[in-house]
């Protein structure tokens, strides 16, 4: 049996497994609601019947177990298979990621929050270029007291600053002072730093209409933003739309706001092996510079 045939059978098996997971979720809701109504009616008649509630609890437990197992098997079986094909020798750790301090003090592209999550760290080389990348989620959670007297309660507001992939990689050209490139769609910029930067257009109308170039006072983007780099950035923008890049010394820091975790299952991606091969966005356009 060929690798592709084996992988397709594996994808089909995981798809069936996922369907079972969703059916148990639906079962938990349906049996739970029906059982609750029936229990109330029986109680009014002086009787009791908790059979459907028990069935709902069983469905809920099964859904939690199958959901957890699916996520684990998907990453172990599919993600690892794709990584072994695309980037042999890379190191992938599902539970590791970038720390909050590194994101805020070194990458410095996204406005700080108070809830950070980072996972699926990938470290390796591609065509001699060393890179590190991980999924990152940054939220700002605010608790507010609202209402009066006995109606006073705590309201939780969650402001999503970023959810996507962050990458650290070797830069083709070293810069003396940091250079920042933001798509105009990138809303939550690192405000404390951004306010101190000055604009430095490239005099390329197509590029400047889509991407906002900022430098520290006295700096210049001309050394790094040559025609090849501008083409790479525009290609990346056309693919992801919501992105930011920070050049400093001989490193590039990239934040792509995909609004999802790269390595997680999505129904819209279907069961196609070819889609799974494209799912793991390892070879970002910027890696081809």
């Amino acid at each position: 049996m060929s690798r592709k045939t084996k992988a397709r059978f594996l994808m089909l098996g995981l798809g069936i497994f996922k369907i079972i997971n969703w059916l148990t979720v639906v079962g938990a809701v349906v049996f739970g609601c029906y059982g609750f109504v029936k229990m109330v009616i029986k109680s009014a008649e002086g009787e009791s019947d908790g059979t459907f509630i028990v069935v709902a609890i069983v469905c809920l437990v099964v859904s939690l177990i199958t959901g957890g197992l699916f996520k684990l098997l998907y990453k172990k079986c599919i993600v690892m298979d794709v990584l072994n094909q695309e980037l042999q020798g890379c190191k992938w750790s599902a539970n590791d990621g970038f720390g909050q301090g590194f994101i805020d003090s070194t990458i410095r592209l996204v406005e700080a929050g108070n809830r950070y999550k980072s996972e699926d760290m990938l470290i390796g080389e591609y065509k001699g270029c060393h890179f590190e990348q991980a999924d990152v989620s940054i939220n700002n959670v605010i608790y507010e007291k609202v209402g009066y007297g006995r109606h006073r309660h705590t309201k939780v507001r969650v402001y999503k600053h970023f959810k996507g992939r962050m990458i650290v990689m070797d830069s083709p050209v070293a810069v003396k002072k940091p250079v920042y490139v933001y798509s105009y769609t990138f809303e939550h910029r690192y405000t404390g730093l951004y306010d101190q930067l000055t604009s430095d257009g490239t005099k390329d109308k197509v590029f400047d209409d889509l991407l906002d170039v900022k430098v520290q006072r006295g700096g210049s983007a001309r050394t790094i933003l040559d025609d090849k780099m501008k083409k790479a950035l525009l290609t990346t923008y056309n693919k992801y739309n919501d992105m930011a890049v920070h050049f400093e010394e001989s490193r590039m820091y990239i934040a792509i706001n995909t609004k999802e975790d790269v390595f997680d299952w999505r129904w819209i991606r279907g069961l196609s092996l070819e889609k799974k091969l494209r799912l793991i966005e390892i070879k970002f356009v910027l890696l081809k510079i």
Side-chain angles (χ1 to χ4, degrees):
M1 184 183 294
S2 68
R3 182 195 60 77
K4 281 194 173 184
T5 302
K6 184 178 178 181
R8 286 194 177 98
F9 274 113
L10 183 59
M11 286 298 302
L12 181 60
L14 284 172
I16 294 172
F17 195 72
K18 190 64 176 176
I19 290 172
I20 293 172
N21 171 247
W22 276 104
L23 287 175
T24 55
V25 172
V26 173
V29 175
V30 173
F31 285 119
C33 293
Y34 180 74
F36 177 76
V37 173
K38 189 171 183 180
M39 188 170 62
V40 171
I41 294 173
K42 289 290 184 180
S43 297
E45 296 173 353
E47 301 176 11
S48 63
D49 185 358
T51 303
F52 288 99
I53 295 295
V54 173
V55 174
I57 293 172
V58 171
C59 287
L60 180 61
V61 171
V62 172
S63 69
L64 291 174
I65 293 174
T66 53
L69 286 174
F70 174 84
K71 185 174 182 179
L72 176 64
L73 291 172
Y74 173 74
K75 285 192 175 183
K76 291 292 183 183
C77 299
I78 302 301
V79 174
M80 282 304 299
D81 180 63
V82 174
L83 290 178
N84 288 334
Q85 296 173 56
E86 298 294 305
L87 286 172
Q88 296 180 4
C90 69
K91 180 182 177 183
W92 172 57
S93 178
N95 299 318
D96 291 333
F98 294 122
Q100 177 180 346
F102 184 79
I103 293 171
D104 287 343
S105 63
T106 303
I107 296 179
R108 289 187 301 170
L109 285 171
V110 182
E111 182 182 356
N114 54 21
R115 294 286 177 87
Y116 289 71
K117 181 183 178 182
S118 185
E119 60 183 5
D120 287 322
M121 172 68 82
L122 187 66
I123 301 174
E125 286 193 4
Y126 180 70
K127 294 185 178 180
C129 175
H130 176 80
F131 69 89
E132 301 173 15
Q133 56 172 280
D135 283 338
V136 175
S137 175
I138 303 174
N139 294 324
N140 193 37
V141 182
I142 298 176
Y143 298 90
E144 297 178 344
K145 293 290 185 180
V146 296
Y148 299 93
R150 63 180 181 176
H151 299 293
R152 189 169 177 78
H153 63 281
T154 301
K155 187 173 184 179
V156 181
R157 297 182 184 273
V158 179
Y159 299 93
K160 297 181 179 181
H161 290 183
F162 182 86
K163 185 176 180 64
R165 201 75 178 159
M166 287 193 176
I167 313 162
V168 180
M169 58 182 286
D170 295 336
S171 174
V173 178
V175 295
K176 294 181 179 180
K177 290 191 175 184
V179 175
Y180 297 82
V181 180
Y182 300 91
S183 64
Y184 285 104
T185 53
F186 201 87
E187 295 181 2
H188 295 281
R189 305 180 183 187
Y190 195 99
T191 52
L193 171 70
Y194 181 78
D195 296 339
Q196 302 173 16
L197 301 176
T198 58
S199 296
D200 188 20
T202 64
K203 296 183 180 180
D204 181 327
K205 189 177 187 308
V206 174
F207 187 91
D208 291 340
D209 284 347
L210 298 174
L211 299 168
D212 185 20
V213 180
K214 298 287 186 177
V215 298
Q216 286 188 354
R217 189 175 301 277
S220 173
R222 286 191 294 272
T223 55
I224 188 66
L225 295 182
D226 57 13
D227 290 341
K228 193 173 183 180
M229 178 61 75
K230 286 190 293 184
K231 181 179 179 181
L233 290 172
L234 283 174
T235 304
T236 305
Y237 169 81
N238 289 332
K239 185 170 185 177
Y240 299 103
N241 188 255
D242 199 348
M243 55 170 280
V245 184
H246 164 202
F247 300 91
E248 186 161 356
E249 296 180 346
S250 58
R251 304 290 278 172
M252 294 173 61
Y253 305 95
I254 307 161
I256 301 178
N257 201 18
T258 59
K259 297 180 175 59
E260 65 176 13
D261 294 326
V262 172
F263 289 89
D264 285 349
W265 166 277
R266 290 291 183 277
W267 279 108
I268 58 174
R269 289 172 178 150
L271 297 176
S272 167
L273 175 63
E274 286 71 24
K275 287 183 180 179
K276 290 301 167 202
L277 293 175
R278 292 196 296 270
L279 157 72
I280 311 302
E281 299 289 0
I282 303 304
K283 296 188 227 179
F284 286 100
V285 174
L286 291 173
L287 286 177
K288 298 180 179 180
I289 296 173

